[in-house]
Amino acid sequence: MKDNDYTKWILNNEIIYDTPTRMHIRSQDSCMALKHFHGNIEFFGVCKGEVMATVADEKRVLHAGEIVATNPFEAHGFEQIGDITVFVASIGSLYLSNFESIYKRSKLPRFLTDAEYNKTIFDKMTLVDDKYNLPELRKFAVVNDLLADIVERYGVIAVDSDIADDDLAANVVQYIYNHYADELSLTVLADKFGVSPTSLSKKLSPFIGKDLRAFINDIRAIKVQYILSDPSMRDLPLKDIAFRCGFKNPETFYRVYARNFGRGGG
């Protein structure tokens, strides 16, 4: 599968199946996914070779035996370095219920780099692949076992928010994903969700981990990059693509694009 086709398959697959009842574990020998995002938690482990991983604004080379955990709504992307074998586990919120009830206001660390300890996790993920049609109860057991292994070695990170705040923030973020080309601002979003701008800002900040304007523009830049990866769109002027994705100012687009992808658009 060509890189562009694989990237589109990955993005479309995650959009279609990004549901609370999703539990998808697979191994593969390629990974060229543009920076993207989804509501499910995802684990990406390198069995062989090296992969450049980007999560939010943090970039790191993953070596064999290392794992990256992307929490819900964290932008992330992967680029392989030579021949690789990796596993990817996408887990919906339904199967996180026990973890969330025990570790309230917490999330997982991003980079799990103890290769020796991770061998147990890799072995378990190898045994659980999509070729097995697991019973529903077994899915809960697999996820709980995986999370227990991670927490016992790496712990959790406290998040300064409560469940109600997270629900509102998640709904706002989903709205931004779906309406990225619209005129969006703190005031517009606060009005849409019936809260004050000050209250919304306080609830959103710990959830997205950055300034709201930067977050919105990062999503728009990711959308631009996705369109640019489509060969059928290559003849479109870049400024038109940027405008379609919500950028009103070319200078803002080029600055945001470079911050996310390390180069100017085009």
Side-chain angles (χ1 to χ4, degrees), residues 27-115:
S27 60
Q28 56 198 50
D29 57 8
S30 62
C31 70
M32 192 66 65
L34 300 174
K35 202 173 182 185
H36 61 289
F37 36 75
H38 43 71
N40 288 349
I41 195 169
E42 181 178 281
F43 299 98
F44 181 98
V46 180
C47 307
K48 181 185 74 174
E50 294 180 331
V51 174
M52 177 63 75
T54 303
V55 183
D57 296 325
E58 191 171 1
K59 183 175 288 189
R60 183 179 299 189
V61 175
L62 293 180
H63 306 282
E66 297 182 341
I67 300 170
V68 61
T70 57
N71 291 284
F73 302 109
E74 286 186 326
H76 58 283
F78 304 102
E79 183 175 355
Q80 70 186 73
I81 304 172
D83 294 334
I84 62 162
T85 302
V86 300
F87 83 77
V88 183
S90 175
I91 299 171
S93 59
L94 175 66
Y95 304 107
L96 301 176
S97 56
N98 288 333
F99 171 82
E100 291 173 344
S101 67
I102 296 170
Y103 299 100
K104 296 179 175 65
R105 303 189 186 185
S106 299
K107 64 179 182 179
L108 295 171
R110 285 177 183 164
F111 294 99
L112 316 177
T113 58
D114 186 339

Side-chain angles (χ1 to χ4, degrees), residues 218-265:
D218 284 351
I219 290 174
R220 289 168 173 165
I222 291 169
K223 294 290 187 178
V224 169
Q225 178 69 355
Y226 173 67
I227 292 173
L228 289 173
S229 73
D230 188 340
S232 68
M233 299 292 186
R234 285 177 179 166
D235 292 334
L236 284 177
L238 182 58
K239 64 179 182 180
D240 289 354
I241 297 176
F243 183 79
R244 288 185 183 189
C245 293
F247 287 102
K248 301 299 188 288
N249 183 293
E251 288 74 23
T252 300
F253 162 67
Y254 287 117
R255 183 178 66 253
V256 173
Y257 191 93
R259 184 176 73 240
N260 278 274
F261 300 103
R263 62 189 189 278

Side-chain angles (χ1 to χ4, degrees), residues 56-239:
D57 296 325
E58 191 171 1
K59 183 175 288 189
R60 183 179 299 189
V61 175
L62 293 180
H63 306 282
E66 297 182 341
I67 300 170
V68 61
T70 57
N71 291 284
F73 302 109
E74 286 186 326
H76 58 283
F78 304 102
E79 183 175 355
Q80 70 186 73
I81 304 172
D83 294 334
I84 62 162
T85 302
V86 300
F87 83 77
V88 183
S90 175
I91 299 171
S93 59
L94 175 66
Y95 304 107
L96 301 176
S97 56
N98 288 333
F99 171 82
E100 291 173 344
S101 67
I102 296 170
Y103 299 100
K104 296 179 175 65
R105 303 189 186 185
S106 299
K107 64 179 182 179
L108 295 171
R110 285 177 183 164
F111 294 99
L112 316 177
T113 58
D114 186 339
E116 186 64 30
Y117 180 86
N118 290 346
K119 285 180 180 178
T120 300
I121 298 174
F122 278 87
D123 289 343
K124 291 176 180 178
M125 292 303 98
T126 300
L127 293 174
V128 183
D129 200 286
D130 283 347
K131 61 180 176 288
Y132 298 105
N133 186 18
L134 292 177
E136 197 67 15
L137 189 60
R138 182 67 63 186
K139 292 179 182 179
F140 279 91
V142 168
V143 174
N144 287 335
D145 192 35
L146 170 63
L147 294 174
D149 283 341
I150 292 172
V151 171
E152 285 174 8
R153 169 61 180 85
Y154 299 100
V156 295
I157 298 173
V159 177
D160 186 21
S161 62
D162 60 29
I163 294 174
D165 289 349
D166 281 354
D167 287 344
L168 173 62
N171 288 333
V172 173
V173 168
Q174 193 65 59
Y175 182 86
I176 295 170
Y177 288 168
N178 295 337
H179 300 85
Y180 58 90
D182 295 351
E183 187 68 35
L184 296 175
S185 67
L186 181 62
T187 301
V188 169
L189 293 170
D191 183 64
K192 174 70 179 177
F193 287 88
V195 296
S196 72
T198 301
S199 176
L200 181 59
S201 178
K202 187 179 298 184
K203 297 176 192 301
L204 270 179
S205 292
F207 195 87
I208 62 177
K210 63 175 66 177
D211 175 76
L212 177 61
R213 287 172 297 180
F215 180 75
I216 292 170
N217 282 333
D218 284 351
I219 290 174
R220 289 168 173 165
I222 291 169
K223 294 290 187 178
V224 169
Q225 178 69 355
Y226 173 67
I227 292 173
L228 289 173
S229 73
D230 188 340
S232 68
M233 299 292 186
R234 285 177 179 166
D235 292 334
L236 284 177
L238 182 58
K239 64 179 182 180

